[in-house]
Structures are given as structure tokens and as C-alpha cells.
Amino acid sequence: MSALDRLIARPLPRPFPRVTGVRPVLVGAFLVVACLGLLQVAQTSSATTTGYNLQRLQDERFATQAGVHQLEAEVAVLTSIDRIDREARGRLGMVPAGTALTLEVHKQPPEQQFVPLRFLSETKAPQVKTSSWWQRLLNLLPFF
Amino acid sequence: MPQRMARVSWRLLLLGVLFCAAGLVLTARLAQLQIVSHGHYAVQAEDEHMGMEKVFPPRGAILDRNGYPLALTLDTYDIYINRKVWQDEKLAADGAEALSSVLGRRPDEILAALGPDTDGDALVAGSIGYDAGRKIIEMGVPGVKATATIVRFHPEGDLASALQGFVGRDQTGLSGLEADLQDQLGGSAGTLYFERDSMGNPIPFGYRQLTQSEPASDVRLTIDRYIQEATEQALDAAIEKNAANGGSIIVMEPKTGAILAMASRPSFKLSQLDLADETKMELYRNRAVTDLYEPGSVMKVVTMSTAVDLSLVTPNTTYEDTGMAYVGGYAIENWDFSANGTTTMTQLLQKSLNTGAVWVGQQIGPERFYDYAKRFGFGEPTGVGLGGEAAGTVRTSEDPEWYPSDLATNSFGQGISVTPLQMITAVAAIANGGELMRPYIVADVVGPDGSDETQPQVVRRVISESTARTLTAMMNDVVEGTPSHGARVQGYHVAGKTGTSFISVPGGYAPDRVITSFVGFAPVSDPRMIVLVKIDEPQGERLGGTVAAPVFAELAPKILSYLGVPPDAPALVQQGG
């Protein structure tokens, strides 16, 4: 009886647990969130790096621009009237011009200018006029 | 027991109600902060969190007519120190020590620059070099802030100071061309919004938004630096020689109206600019366009042009000079109290006879005289584009305060007020064949979108070409027909006229205060330049012929030679070949 009771009291074997979709979804969601997080971190890091590079380039541009302005000022000082005057008097020993003398030449200029070559600008070879094949072809046609 | 429960319930109920009420109040307050006043607090929070800086584009350069710079922009930094942060003595000492090497100042000088205040920012170094500024930023000294700014640099020194003017700390032009051409030279500032820390400094890699500035343009003037320098030197020398109060010289191209040089004294020096000194305020104006004077006998050229153009007189027309002219109950005499008898119109100009000018004025009549005066540009600004240009004062016969004696005095240049620029522009019309040109000083504006060139502009024809030729010949006779005239230039034929006028004071004229002037152009055959010289209140010599004309004679050959104008007198020309 007791054995029967035990038999009766023994719980029924539990059914094999059903595989539900909750856990994989959670795992998947975790992975997605992690991926998104990583993506966010990567993006933020990339944006920060780009921002840093941009700022560095901008600083470089400003520095170069400032350098250009500084050089412009130096060139302007070097070409200023005061400095030219100082250099002309001090270094070259020049003096202000006295009475200007103008020569009036009643003679035709020579056809060939006898100027030392070093004072002449380099002459470029005349460019040969080239025409395309169809222009040459047209030229062959009579009355054209 | 139920009674006790009831009491407890009542107390609990009260507590509950109180909690609920407090909750409601809190909720209402939260709603008010977050919803109703959201905008207000959002702005406050943003103001606290976000900083804003104006980003100026590099200011454009001012160039002379050949492209040589007169004013340039240099990038610099202003160094500020937060006084509150530097209340910490150790930090301040270390900071001053660190800054001293870059600023080239002793630490105690830097600390002294903070002043007695304990709050706010103190400017300890203004307009330091760009590299030094960057170095200070990189040092990262606590409480030190470097603000990017720009400074104007003048490679030609103090040349044309009053004409160029200057800019303020906010990079806005305050006087001269810097103010007149602010839109072109200044461009449009952009704005930088950035996240800032509790000290107000930008947070590295924080939020930044920059609205781009509009780039500025370079302005090329018609001013020639060589002629400007020669002009200023001549003016300074003349003022010193004659112990004068001041003066003006303008050099212009009569055919275009382009101003080649413009100098006036007293003035200021850009290198010694001190805006804090209010006594120097009146030095900042360009007197050649802002100040009025009575032109004196130079006006006789205008009177004579009018009469010749109306065919009322010719150079050989005569009048009888008795040495006295009576108009409206007043007796007008010649400047030298002379009586010259029968006098031609050319002689009238040569001897600069007031009685003759009065006679010519009477021939013209008031309506026609003032009509021509207006046509010559008197009584209205020339439109040169310089700030503060005066219109001048011409009282016409339609004016209720006009008297017949006004026509007489106006005909020889008293009782009428003009600017030096108006006077030279009027006489330039004679040199230009009778056409009045609008004077201009900006040759072109070169911006990112290209160049905007100023074209010479004819305002109107004032007199006929034939009248202009006649007057040119008469003015040439004034200079070359008068023995030892002070304005003669060796090698060039010059036309011109002197002027000496008394300075008006309340109740009349000051007998011992005069303005001397000369207007002349050369060469007569093809005028390339016209010069007006005006010297105010000279001591000693007090006539236009002896004070102003020699300045022209000194300056003109330099300018003509520089402009490559060959002499037209055979005296200086050697025949070659």
C-alpha cells in the first residue's frame, strides 16, 4: 500500500522543457546593443580624430596665413620709399637728382637695337602654326 | 479603539494631503521650469555653456596706385589674464614667470598689469606676434587667455596718415579711408560658437560651429606714394619756413579727376596714435575735404571764365581801374591799393585786381554768376567719397541774406567758402577743356569676385572748350607774364593763379590773419597735373605769390619728371643726333 502510495505520490516525470525564442532574442539583442555601442564608440572616436585633425589643419592654415601676412609686411618694408632712400644714400652713395636734362633726338631709331643681349628678355621660338588634318584637307580643295 | 483609528486616519490623511500638496507644488514648479519657462532657462544654460567669438576676416590692404601697400594686416594676439584665477599667489607667480620669457617683460611688470581689481580679465599684452601668441596658448598657463586679433601695419610709416585713417580694437575703421571704405576693407565678420569650460575657455573637441566670414577686399588708391611723400615734405617745409598754422596740398590729374596726393596739416601720425588723448581729436580729420576757406583771388579765374564763356569779355577787353569800386555803400580797393588806369582782362588777372573782378562780376550779374559758381561745383560736395566732406557756402541772390555787395566780394573770392578739393576740381575743369570731372581716390577694389574699377566721370560741361583755352592762356600769362613770378617752373609752361584771403571772424575779417594759396597746372599744352597749395596764416610773407607759389614751383618739376612728362621749353632740351 505504501508502495502503491509512493507510486501514486511519485510525481509525474516533467515534460522535456520547450525551447522558447526568449533567450536567443535576448542574446541577439545584447549582441546588437553591443555592436551598436561599439559602432557608436568607433564613430565618436572617428569623429573626434577627424575633429582633431580638422582643428590642427585649421591652426596650420591660420599659422601659414599669418606667415604670409608677415612676409607681405616684410616685403613692403623692404620696398618702402624710406628704405630705398636710405639704401640709395647710405649703401650706394647716391644723391638727389639736380636739374634733369632731357635730350631730344632728331634721328630715326636704328632698325636693329644694339642692346647687349643680357639686357634683352629671352626671345621665345616662334610657335609653328599647326592645323588639323581636316583643315589641311579643306585647303587642298579648289576655291576654298 | 475606533476613535483612535479615526484620529490616526485624520492625521495620516492630513499628512497625505500635505505630501500631495507638496508634490503638486513641486510638480507645478517643475512644469513651470521645464515647460513654461523652458525657452528662458534653455537660453541661460546655453549662454553659460556656450561661448561666442567674432571671427574677422583679414582686413584688406590699402595700396597706392602702383600697388605698393600703404596699410596691411598682421595677425596678432591679445593676452588676457583672469584676475580671479590669479588670486592664488603661487599660481600667479608661476604664471607670470612663464609668460615673462615669451612677452619679454619682467614677472613683476606682468603682475602689475593686473591692476587693483580682483575680478574680470586684464589685458596684459596687446597685439603680440602670432608665433608668440601660439606659444602662450600651447603653454596652457592657468587663467591666461589669448584672443586672436589683427593689427594694421603701415610700411610707408606716417605717409598720408589723415587720409588713411585708423581702425579701432574691434577692427572697425574709425577715421579716414579706413572708416569710409569699411565695407570693402573689413568684409563681414563670421561667428564662432563653442562649448566652454567654467573659465570661459573653449573645451577641446567640444561643440564648435563657425559661420564663415565674408572675405575683405583690397583697395587700390589713385594716390601715388612718391608724389604723396614729395607733397607732404613740401607742405611741412612750407609751414616751417613761413611759421604757418597749417595748410593743404592736393595734386590731381585734371583729365580724369584722379587724386595723386592729398596732404593737410595739422594732422596726426599713425605711429604716434593715442586715442585716449581727447585733445588730439581734431587732428584726425582730413582738412583738404572737411575745412572751408575763402579762396581769395583764385576765384577770379572762375569769375573770368564765366565772363569769357558768356562772351562778355575777351582777354583784351579793358576797364578803367581807378583803384576803388563802390558797391552797395562799400568801397572796395585793390590788394595793393593801386590804381592802374586802363587795364585788360589779362592784366587784371596778372595784377590780381579786386576792382577789376568787381567790374567783371557786375557785367555778369548775380543770377548768371551764381549759376556758373554752381556749375563749377561750389556749394555742393564733390562726391569724392571721403567722409566729412563739406559742401561749402555760397550765398546766392535768391538767399534773403544776400546783399549786392556779396556779388562784388564773391567775384574776388571773399564771402564765399569752399574746400581745397572743390577749388582744385573747379580749376581742373579749365585745364580739362571745360569739363568738370568728379574727383576720385579709389582706383579699384579688388575682392574675391574680381576687380571693381572706378571710371573717370564727367560731372558736366562747365565752360566751352574755347573758353577753357582762352583762360588757360590767360593763366599762363599770369605766371609767365609776371616778372619773377614765384610759380615758374624751368622747362615747363605753367598756368596758374595766386590767392590771398583774409580769415573771417565774428563781425568781419581779421586783418592780420590770411590764407595764401596757389592753383596751377602744367604743361599748358597738355595738362598732366594740377596742384593746389594752401598755407594757413603764414607769418612774415603774407601773399599767395610769395608763400604758396614757390611751393608749387618746387613740387611741380618733381611730379612732372616722375610722371615722365618731357619739358616743353627748348631751354632745357639739348638737340642731339
Side-chain angles (χ1 to χ4, degrees):
Chain A
M1 189 64 195
S2 63
L4 187 63
D5 287 345
R6 271 203 304 272
L7 269 175
I8 291 167
R10 199 171 62 189
L12 288 170
R14 290 174 67 181
F16 191 79
R18 281 181 59 196
V19 178
T20 59
V22 175
R23 195 172 292 169
V25 167
L26 279 175
V27 171
F30 175 77
L31 285 174
V32 168
V33 168
C35 283
L36 282 174
L38 276 174
L39 192 67
Q40 172 74 9
V41 169
Q43 272 186 336
T44 309
S45 167
S46 168
T48 308
T49 309
T50 311
Y52 171 76
N53 284 337
L54 269 175
Q55 205 166 327
R56 188 173 52 79
L57 287 171
Q58 206 169 31
D59 287 347
E60 272 179 32
R61 188 171 74 88
F62 287 144
T64 310
Q65 200 176 41
V68 168
H69 290 153
Q70 185 66 41
L71 288 173
E72 279 177 353
E74 283 172 24
V75 170
V77 168
L78 291 173
T79 56
S80 70
I81 285 186
D82 272 353
R83 182 184 172 274
I84 291 171
D85 188 71
R86 245 189 349 264
E87 291 287 309
R89 286 172 195 268
R91 201 150 61 89
L92 304 175
M94 296 173 85
V95 293
T99 310
L101 186 68
T102 305
L103 296 177
E104 196 176 22
V105 182
H106 295 290
K107 198 172 183 180
Q108 288 298 315
E111 284 183 9
Q112 189 187 350
Q113 297 287 337
F114 295 102
V115 179
L117 284 175
R118 65 178 185 277
F119 295 120
L120 296 176
S121 57
E122 280 183 29
T123 50
K124 288 180 182 170
Q127 287 186 338
V128 182
K129 230 180 177 181
T130 53
S131 51
S132 60
W133 61 269
W134 57 270
Q135 280 175 321
R136 287 198 297 274
L137 199 64
L138 283 173
N139 289 339
L140 291 176
L141 295 174
F143 312 114
F144 192 82
Chain B
M1 186 70 182
Q3 277 182 355
R4 194 178 167 196
M5 281 296 291
R7 262 206 313 272
V8 170
S9 297
W10 180 83
R11 283 177 186 162
L12 279 174
L13 189 66
L14 184 65
L15 197 64
V17 168
L18 280 174
F19 268 110
C20 282
L24 274 174
V25 168
L26 277 174
T27 309
R29 177 64 177 156
L30 276 174
Q32 195 247 331
L33 289 175
Q34 297 283 355
I35 300 166
V36 180
S37 305
H38 173 265
H40 172 73
Y41 288 106
V43 168
Q44 264 195 359
E46 196 174 300
D47 281 351
E48 195 70 28
H49 193 53
M50 302 296 290
M52 188 196 82
E53 249 178 38
K54 286 222 162 200
V55 181
F56 293 97
R59 196 171 175 83
I62 300 178
L63 312 167
D64 90 334
R65 72 200 287 248
N66 297 312
Y68 289 107
L70 301 175
L72 290 171
T73 296
L74 287 178
D75 302 87
T76 57
Y77 278 98
D78 287 343
I79 306 299
Y80 293 90
I81 290 176
N82 188 314
R83 292 191 181 97
K84 207 169 183 178
V85 176
W86 278 37
Q87 286 292 300
D88 182 336
E89 286 183 12
K90 170 85 172 58
L91 194 146
D94 291 347
E97 188 67 39
L99 288 183
S100 67
S101 59
V102 185
L103 295 178
R105 291 164 67 181
R106 291 200 315 272
D108 58 313
E109 285 178 343
I110 296 170
L111 291 170
L114 295 176
D117 295 342
T118 55
D119 205 1
D121 289 341
L123 176 71
V124 291
S127 304
I128 67 162
Y130 187 85
D131 291 339
R134 292 301 310 173
K135 204 171 171 184
I136 288 174
I137 292 172
E138 283 159 16
M139 283 161 64
V141 181
V144 175
K145 195 162 69 175
T147 307
T149 182
I150 58 172
V151 68
R152 283 305 242 183
F153 175 66
H154 302 94
E156 299 292 344
D158 297 322
L159 194 70
S161 293
L163 182 64
Q164 287 190 66
F166 50 85
V167 296
R169 290 199 72 80
D170 62 350
Q171 306 311 322
T172 304
L174 296 180
S175 84
L177 287 166
E178 295 278 16
D180 300 335
L181 303 172
Q182 171 60 30
D183 289 347
Q184 292 90 337
L185 289 169
S188 172
T191 314
L192 173 67
Y193 293 96
F194 57 88
E195 277 184 292
R196 61 182 180 185
D197 60 17
S198 59
M199 304 308 303
N201 296 318
I203 296 173
F205 315 121
Y207 176 80
R208 281 167 71 92
Q209 190 191 354
L210 177 68
T211 56
Q212 285 297 330
S213 53
E214 277 180 36
S217 303
D218 291 340
V219 173
R220 193 168 64 88
L221 305 180
T222 57
I223 296 291
D224 186 296
R225 64 173 187 162
Y226 173 82
I227 300 176
Q228 180 71 28
E229 174 139 309
T231 300
E232 291 193 9
Q233 283 175 355
L235 180 59
D236 288 336
I239 289 171
E240 191 182 344
K241 182 184 169 189
N242 296 288
N245 274 2
S248 298
I249 299 182
I250 303 175
V251 183
M252 186 191 272
E253 271 182 0
K255 289 178 183 170
T256 61
I259 296 167
L260 300 176
M262 181 181 272
S264 59
R265 299 284 186 272
S267 182
F268 69 100
K269 290 184 175 179
L270 282 164
S271 60
Q272 297 168 10
L273 191 62
D274 179 14
L275 293 178
D277 188 351
E278 287 185 9
T279 60
K280 290 183 177 168
M281 285 292 280
E282 70 164 38
L283 299 179
Y284 300 146
R285 67 179 188 267
N286 182 358
R287 291 161 192 268
V289 295
T290 59
D291 285 18
L292 296 172
Y293 76 110
E294 299 192 13
S297 297
V298 175
M299 192 69 186
K300 287 170 186 160
V301 170
V302 174
T303 306
M304 191 62 73
S305 299
T306 305
V308 172
D309 202 54
L310 291 168
S311 303
L312 298 171
V313 297
T314 68
N316 296 319
T317 302
T318 58
Y319 84 105
E320 198 61 26
D321 178 22
T322 59
M324 198 78 86
Y326 297 95
V327 182
Y330 294 97
I332 292 168
E333 293 173 302
N334 289 321
W335 64 274
D336 57 355
F337 310 108
S338 64
N340 297 278
T342 306
T343 307
T344 66
M345 293 299 106
T346 302
Q347 289 170 331
L348 182 163
L349 287 183
Q350 283 175 328
K351 295 176 182 172
S352 198
L353 302 174
N354 293 344
T355 53
V358 173
W359 181 82
V360 175
Q362 285 170 337
Q363 306 303 307
I364 297 167
E367 285 80 17
R368 290 190 293 192
F369 179 87
Y370 293 114
D371 177 43
Y372 269 82
K374 197 174 175 187
R375 283 164 68 175
F376 269 105
F378 298 119
E380 62 181 17
T382 62
V384 69
L386 294 172
E389 189 185 7
T393 311
V394 182
R395 211 162 45 217
T396 70
S397 50
E398 291 169 5
D399 198 313
E401 292 175 4
W402 182 85
Y403 297 98
S405 60
D406 284 338
L407 174 63
T409 53
N410 291 170
S411 66
F412 57 86
Q414 295 273 189
I416 182 170
S417 297
V418 303
T419 64
L421 184 62
Q422 278 179 328
M423 197 68 238
I424 192 173
T425 307
V427 181
I430 296 169
N432 188 38
E435 282 186 329
L436 185 78
M437 303 300 295
R438 188 174 304 289
Y440 67 101
I441 203 152
V442 176
D444 54 16
V445 177
V446 184
D449 302 331
S451 170
D452 183 10
E453 197 171 339
T454 308
Q455 296 299 325
Q457 191 184 345
V458 179
V459 178
R460 66 182 82 89
R461 173 164 285 285
V462 181
I463 50 174
S464 69
E465 269 192 77
S466 123
T467 303
R469 274 197 301 274
T470 304
L471 257 294
T472 300
M474 292 171 84
M475 289 171 72
N476 178 229
D477 282 341
V478 168
V479 176
E480 293 179 10
T482 308
S484 63
H485 194 286
R488 283 189 185 181
V489 177
Q490 220 177 0
Y492 295 96
H493 291 300
V494 171
K497 181 73 190 81
T498 55
T500 307
S501 58
F502 290 106
I503 295 175
S504 66
V505 290
Y509 287 94
D512 54 343
R513 295 173 64 196
V514 295
I515 290 176
T516 60
S517 60
F518 178 83
V519 183
F521 52 89
V524 163
S525 54
D526 180 23
R528 294 283 303 278
M529 56 120 223
I530 179 166
V531 180
L532 177 142
V533 180
K534 177 172 86 77
I535 306 294
D536 305 338
E537 300 189 51
Q539 311 299 313
E541 295 284 357
R542 286 158 30 95
L543 292 173
T546 50
V547 175
V551 181
F552 173 89
E554 186 205 330
L555 192 56
K558 285 182 189 169
I559 297 171
L560 290 166
S561 169
Y562 175 75
L563 293 176
V565 181
D568 47 14
L572 275 180
V573 178
Q574 282 194 351
Q575 301 287 327

